[in-house]
Amino acid sequence: MTQIRINDVAYGGVQYARISPDQCQKIHNASLEILARTGARLYDQEAIDLLKKAGASVSEGNRVRIPAGLVEKAFSTVPKRVTLYDQNGEAAMFLEEGRCYYGTGSDCLHIVDHRTGERRDPVLQDVVEGMRVCDALQNIDFVMSMFLPTDVHEMVSDRYQMEAMLHNTTKPIVYVTNEFSGCVDAVEMAEVVAGGAEELKLRPFAACYINVTTGLQHNEEALQKLLFLAEKGLPALYIPVSIAGISGPITPAGSVALVNAGVLVGLVLSQLKREGAPFITSAMSGGSLDMKTMVSPYSEPDQRGVPHALAHHYNLPMFGLGGCSDSKLVDQQAAAEAALTMMAETLGGANLIHDLGYLESGLCGSLAQLVTCNEIAGWIEYNLAPVDVTDEALALDLIDREGPDGQFLDSDHTMTNFRKRWYPEVFDRGNYDQWQAEGGLSLGERAAARVEKILAEHQPQPLPEDVAKKIKAIVERAEKSFK
Amino acid sequence: MSGELLNKITLSIVEGRPDEAVDLTRQALADGLEPLTIIDEGLTAGMNIVGDKFQTGEYYLPHLIIAASGMQQAMELLEPELKARQQAAESAGVVVIGSVAGDIHEIGKSLVGTMMSASGFQVYDLGVDVSTEAFVAKVKETGADILGLSALLTTTMTVQRQVVRELEEAGIRDQVKVMIGGAPISQEWAETIAADGYAEDAVGAVELAKQMVA
Ligand code: B12
């Protein structure tokens, strides 16, 4: 966790505003104009009916034009902060202005095996190991499944992922499911762990990640999930993706305005379904298509920070994307892109920064890379930490006592305070001989060794037996329904 | 004289000026140039240069798209003239493409479709979340040479297999080549489901398509 409030007293922040408040307002106005003039296509009847009843106009059966008033009303009822708990019911993440949390991504189709360096298909055991590593890493605040297991039935891979997450870490979860039914099952599993639907609503430890076709096309599955979660009073992340230059304007402002219009559709619907439903906005209205390779990159600099400024403008909790790389391996590019994107997302103030450990533009993941990201998160936390400028910290008396020729190594002040400075775990600071004596390893090799050490030593808190049984039953029920 | 005009047509394609390509094509017809000459020595020559420049990294995707659009617009002018002479521009082949049922990932599929039309294929893009029946029906209707199936999810890649089976059921499997693609797709999967080929990206897809109709 990085607290980006630099000075608790003056309440100033280190947050960087990529665009000004006036520019935010202009983009907001543009989104409102898009919704009122162009409208969005919705592929779910209940969603269309809700909007129609509230005063939106519907043409062509499913093209909905939403008046600005509906959006403003939604802003008056949506909670401006969301607390996510851990699986033991302890408050773990306050998604609000000035707090940035880090977590993994989901569903990688490949893994770079930290033991062999080989790129291969992931299996369920990789998800299990990933979650155990996350559980142990201090700066990983929440988890997503990381890998898509290929050794279970593809239609219920999401149930197995959820089970593995519940079993191997107590940290808050962001879950992604294949279909609407997967979302219903994930909620049921979370309710079992929380001890009931009311308990989960009171102390939610899981939020659903929902992708939407584009800013102006909302697929049935996404709308069903959104409305179901709103009804339940559970947090949803609503994430339309219009790729700049392809399904939206190539210019950052136009691209963000279009995607933001889509986010506002989700916001209005969640509040129409149930006033006060927790809603987390998307700050990943991200990228363009790389016009040379035709890959959709994850580590672009151009647009980062723009949707973040907008989410601040709204004072809504936001979901960001960092710690990821377009590199194919755990190399220099991967480290550089992970560090840059995590820093930019943190300065932008994203509350949930996901995709730590991603490689290959979202297609591959690595536990060694995740360890590096954990290290980067620590660095950022300390770099943006509030600076203590009390008299005790200024230590004028000590300076005077020691005089111009003094040394501070043996003072109590050093003894009591030196531990407050950041120490790396896998970044190397030794001199050449020390480094060589320890094997002359690269960052990637040291990170891989750290993964092995965690897997050998760390035991996550197990689920109570009866709970584990009920979870398994839900997985099996789903599996049967697809046979 | 006519050589100069054809060069200008080529240049208008290479430099991405569709309106000019249309105007010059009209002028060439008025000058009495044969439509097939305009196509081969003017427009297609330009498209080939654009393709090369894209391969070498000098050109980006938008260059390719605007060139294709110039070519297409000029062709609209030339089609009636070709018909009148009972000629036909050489079509590389007919392609039906779409993202399979349950899959709404659109971008890769559309790019493949666009690149194929830019390379002279006649493309029917059925969109996303396309039912298996719709694929089969369109292949029948158009007599397509190639069916392109896109799937970006492990949960929808199995639908590609279903489509191949349905083509068999319908008795038209041997009339059409099936090519598949998308993030989770591999050559191995193509072999498993008895598709005719796989390509990793849009450039590869065009090459594969050309081999398939050769
Ligand atoms: C953009 C995106 C989306 C967008 C799509 C927007 C749109 N309108 O198209 C949105 C946000 C809607 C989305 C939704 C989802 N997504 Co998505 N998405 C992506 C992402 C980031 C990029 C895809 C893309 O457009 N790439 C750019 C294009 C140009 O590349 P491409 O599609 O691969 O196409 C190229 C080649 O594959 C090939 N090709 C493609 N089709 C064809 C066809 C033929 C015939 C041939 C020969 C070649 C070929 O050529 C293309 C051009 O070079 C990928 C990650 C990734 N890096 O691929 C995840 C990814 C594919 N999505 C993923 C997931 C999980 C989802 C969701 C299930 C999440 C959810 N629960 O909400 C939903 C699924 C919805 C559904 N039912 O389809 C996972 C897939 C995991 C899995 N189960 O297999 C991925 C891998 C990300 C991840 N690691 O989690 N997604």
Side-chain angles (χ1 to χ4, degrees), chain A residues 232-267:
Chain A
K232 286 242 166 207
L234 295 174
L237 284 45
Y238 202 66
I239 307 161
V241 174
S242 286
I243 295 195
I246 303 288
S247 41
I250 188 75
T251 39
S255 168
V256 171
L258 181 68
V259 171
N260 185 54
V263 172
L264 295 178
V265 170
L267 171 71

Side-chain angles (χ1 to χ4, degrees), chain B residues 56-75:
Chain B
T56 59
E58 185 186 338
Y59 269 16
Y60 291 67
L61 184 60
H63 295 120
L64 212 67
I65 304 300
I66 197 152
S69 146
M71 167 107 189
Q72 214 153 24
Q73 289 176 44
M75 284 304 291

Side-chain angles (χ1 to χ4, degrees), chain A residues 109-110 148 154-155 178 213 217 219 243 246-247 289 291-292 294 363, chain B residues 54 57 60-62 104 106-107 111 115 154-155 158 183-184 202-203:
Chain A
L109 298 171
H110 311 284
L148 192 70
E154 72 274 359
M155 294 309 291
N178 297 329
T213 316
Q217 283 177 26
N219 49 317
I243 295 195
I246 303 288
S247 41
L289 189 80
M291 299 289 187
K292 279 191 170 211
M294 296 189 224
L363 295 178
Chain B
F54 183 73
Y60 291 67
L61 184 60
I104 58 165
E106 174 152 42
I107 294 150
L111 277 178
M115 295 275 286
T154 44
T155 50
T158 49
V203 176

